[in-house]
PDB file of all heavy atoms in Angstrom:
ATOM      1  N   ALA U 237     -15.822  30.660 -32.160  1.00 95.00           N
ATOM      2  CA  ALA U 237     -16.189  32.077 -32.077  1.00 95.00           C
ATOM      3  C   ALA U 237     -17.534  32.331 -32.746  1.00 95.00           C
ATOM      4  O   ALA U 237     -18.355  33.108 -32.249  1.00 95.00           O
ATOM      5  CB  ALA U 237     -15.093  32.929 -32.718  1.00 95.00           C
ATOM      6  N   ALA U 238     -17.768  31.652 -33.864  1.00 95.00           N
ATOM      7  CA  ALA U 238     -19.045  31.814 -34.557  1.00 95.00           C
ATOM      8  C   ALA U 238     -20.196  31.311 -33.696  1.00 95.00           C
ATOM      9  O   ALA U 238     -21.278  31.922 -33.666  1.00 95.00           O
ATOM     10  CB  ALA U 238     -19.014  31.064 -35.898  1.00 95.00           C
ATOM     11  N   HIS U 239     -19.978  30.194 -32.980  1.00 94.00           N
ATOM     12  CA  HIS U 239     -21.030  29.698 -32.092  1.00 94.00           C
ATOM     13  C   HIS U 239     -21.344  30.715 -31.003  1.00 94.00           C
ATOM     14  O   HIS U 239     -22.498  30.884 -30.609  1.00 94.00           O
ATOM     15  CB  HIS U 239     -20.609  28.369 -31.473  1.00 94.00           C
ATOM     16  CG  HIS U 239     -21.633  27.801 -30.534  1.00 94.00           C
ATOM     17  ND1 HIS U 239     -21.651  28.106 -29.188  1.00 94.00           N
ATOM     18  CD2 HIS U 239     -22.684  26.968 -30.760  1.00 94.00           C
ATOM     19  CE1 HIS U 239     -22.660  27.467 -28.622  1.00 94.00           C
ATOM     20  NE2 HIS U 239     -23.303  26.774 -29.551  1.00 94.00           N
ATOM     21  N   ALA U 240     -20.288  31.393 -30.503  1.00 93.00           N
ATOM     22  CA  ALA U 240     -20.479  32.402 -29.458  1.00 93.00           C
ATOM     23  C   ALA U 240     -20.972  33.725 -30.032  1.00 93.00           C
ATOM     24  O   ALA U 240     -21.274  34.662 -29.275  1.00 93.00           O
ATOM     25  CB  ALA U 240     -19.173  32.618 -28.704  1.00 93.00           C
ATOM     26  N   ASN U 241     -21.023  33.811 -31.381  1.00 93.00           N
ATOM     27  CA  ASN U 241     -21.523  35.000 -32.075  1.00 93.00           C
ATOM     28  C   ASN U 241     -20.672  36.234 -31.795  1.00 93.00           C
ATOM     29  O   ASN U 241     -21.184  37.340 -31.611  1.00 93.00           O
ATOM     30  CB  ASN U 241     -22.989  35.268 -31.708  1.00 93.00           C
ATOM     31  CG  ASN U 241     -23.671  36.177 -32.715  1.00 93.00           C
ATOM     32  OD1 ASN U 241     -23.326  36.182 -33.901  1.00 93.00           O
ATOM     33  ND2 ASN U 241     -24.635  36.959 -32.250  1.00 93.00           N
ATOM     34  N   VAL U 242     -19.348  36.025 -31.735  1.00 93.00           N
ATOM     35  CA  VAL U 242     -18.415  37.127 -31.549  1.00 93.00           C
ATOM     36  C   VAL U 242     -17.234  36.914 -32.482  1.00 93.00           C
ATOM     37  O   VAL U 242     -17.090  35.847 -33.095  1.00 93.00           O
ATOM     38  CB  VAL U 242     -17.911  37.227 -30.088  1.00 93.00           C
ATOM     39  CG1 VAL U 242     -19.047  37.571 -29.136  1.00 93.00           C
ATOM     40  CG2 VAL U 242     -17.228  35.934 -29.659  1.00 93.00           C
ATOM     41  N   SER U 243     -16.366  37.900 -32.569  1.00 94.00           N
ATOM     42  CA  SER U 243     -15.169  37.759 -33.395  1.00 94.00           C
ATOM     43  C   SER U 243     -14.188  36.796 -32.735  1.00 94.00           C
ATOM     44  O   SER U 243     -14.260  36.542 -31.520  1.00 94.00           O
ATOM     45  CB  SER U 243     -14.494  39.111 -33.589  1.00 94.00           C
ATOM     46  OG  SER U 243     -13.947  39.571 -32.364  1.00 94.00           O
ATOM     47  N   VAL U 244     -13.264  36.276 -33.526  1.00 95.00           N
ATOM     48  CA  VAL U 244     -12.237  35.383 -32.984  1.00 95.00           C
ATOM     49  C   VAL U 244     -11.439  36.084 -31.897  1.00 95.00           C
ATOM     50  O   VAL U 244     -11.139  35.501 -30.842  1.00 95.00           O
ATOM     51  CB  VAL U 244     -11.307  34.892 -34.115  1.00 95.00           C
ATOM     52  CG1 VAL U 244     -10.079  34.201 -33.542  1.00 95.00           C
ATOM     53  CG2 VAL U 244     -12.061  33.955 -35.054  1.00 95.00           C
ATOM     54  N   ARG U 245     -11.096  37.317 -32.125  1.00 94.00           N
ATOM     55  CA  ARG U 245     -10.291  38.061 -31.149  1.00 94.00           C
ATOM     56  C   ARG U 245     -11.046  38.235 -29.829  1.00 94.00           C
ATOM     57  O   ARG U 245     -10.492  38.018 -28.754  1.00 94.00           O
ATOM     58  CB  ARG U 245      -9.917  39.429 -31.727  1.00 94.00           C
ATOM     59  CG  ARG U 245      -9.049  40.267 -30.798  1.00 94.00           C
ATOM     60  CD  ARG U 245      -8.636  41.555 -31.484  1.00 94.00           C
ATOM     61  NE  ARG U 245      -7.804  42.379 -30.633  1.00 94.00           N
ATOM     62  CZ  ARG U 245      -7.311  43.555 -30.979  1.00 94.00           C
ATOM     63  NH1 ARG U 245      -7.561  44.041 -32.195  1.00 94.00           N
ATOM     64  NH2 ARG U 245      -6.568  44.240 -30.138  1.00 94.00           N
ATOM     65  N   THR U 246     -12.321  38.608 -29.927  1.00 94.00           N
ATOM     66  CA  THR U 246     -13.120  38.794 -28.711  1.00 94.00           C
ATOM     67  C   THR U 246     -13.318  37.469 -27.981  1.00 94.00           C
ATOM     68  O   THR U 246     -13.197  37.392 -26.757  1.00 94.00           O
ATOM     69  CB  THR U 246     -14.482  39.404 -29.065  1.00 94.00           C
ATOM     70  OG1 THR U 246     -14.280  40.697 -29.642  1.00 94.00           O
ATOM     71  CG2 THR U 246     -15.364  39.533 -27.830  1.00 94.00           C
ATOM     72  N   PHE U 247     -13.619  36.420 -28.739  1.00 94.00           N
ATOM     73  CA  PHE U 247     -13.831  35.102 -28.118  1.00 94.00           C
ATOM     74  C   PHE U 247     -12.566  34.627 -27.408  1.00 94.00           C
ATOM     75  O   PHE U 247     -12.638  34.131 -26.273  1.00 94.00           O
ATOM     76  CB  PHE U 247     -14.245  34.090 -29.181  1.00 94.00           C
ATOM     77  CG  PHE U 247     -14.436  32.701 -28.634  1.00 94.00           C
ATOM     78  CD1 PHE U 247     -15.599  32.379 -27.933  1.00 94.00           C
ATOM     79  CD2 PHE U 247     -13.468  31.725 -28.805  1.00 94.00           C
ATOM     80  CE1 PHE U 247     -15.774  31.102 -27.410  1.00 94.00           C
ATOM     81  CE2 PHE U 247     -13.640  30.448 -28.290  1.00 94.00           C
ATOM     82  CZ  PHE U 247     -14.798  30.139 -27.591  1.00 94.00           C
ATOM     83  N   THR U 248     -11.422  34.780 -28.052  1.00 94.00           N
ATOM     84  CA  THR U 248     -10.156  34.339 -27.445  1.00 94.00           C
ATOM     85  C   THR U 248      -9.888  35.093 -26.158  1.00 94.00           C
ATOM     86  O   THR U 248      -9.465  34.501 -25.151  1.00 94.00           O
ATOM     87  CB  THR U 248      -9.002  34.550 -28.438  1.00 94.00           C
ATOM     88  OG1 THR U 248      -9.265  33.810 -29.637  1.00 94.00           O
ATOM     89  CG2 THR U 248      -7.688  34.087 -27.842  1.00 94.00           C
ATOM     90  N   ARG U 249     -10.122  36.416 -26.174  1.00 91.00           N
ATOM     91  CA  ARG U 249      -9.887  37.222 -24.976  1.00 91.00           C
ATOM     92  C   ARG U 249     -10.825  36.805 -23.849  1.00 91.00           C
ATOM     93  O   ARG U 249     -10.377  36.614 -22.706  1.00 91.00           O
ATOM     94  CB  ARG U 249     -10.080  38.705 -25.290  1.00 91.00           C
ATOM     95  CG  ARG U 249      -9.772  39.618 -24.106  1.00 91.00           C
ATOM     96  CD  ARG U 249      -9.982  41.077 -24.437  1.00 91.00           C
ATOM     97  NE  ARG U 249     -11.393  41.396 -24.622  1.00 91.00           N
ATOM     98  CZ  ARG U 249     -11.946  41.679 -25.800  1.00 91.00           C
ATOM     99  NH1 ARG U 249     -11.210  41.677 -26.898  1.00 91.00           N
ATOM    100  NH2 ARG U 249     -13.239  41.971 -25.893  1.00 91.00           N
TER     101      ARG U 249
END
Side-chain angles (χ1 to χ4, degrees):
H239 179 271
N241 199 30
V242 295
S243 68
V244 168
R245 181 176 180 180
T246 297
F247 178 78
T248 301
R249 183 181 69 251

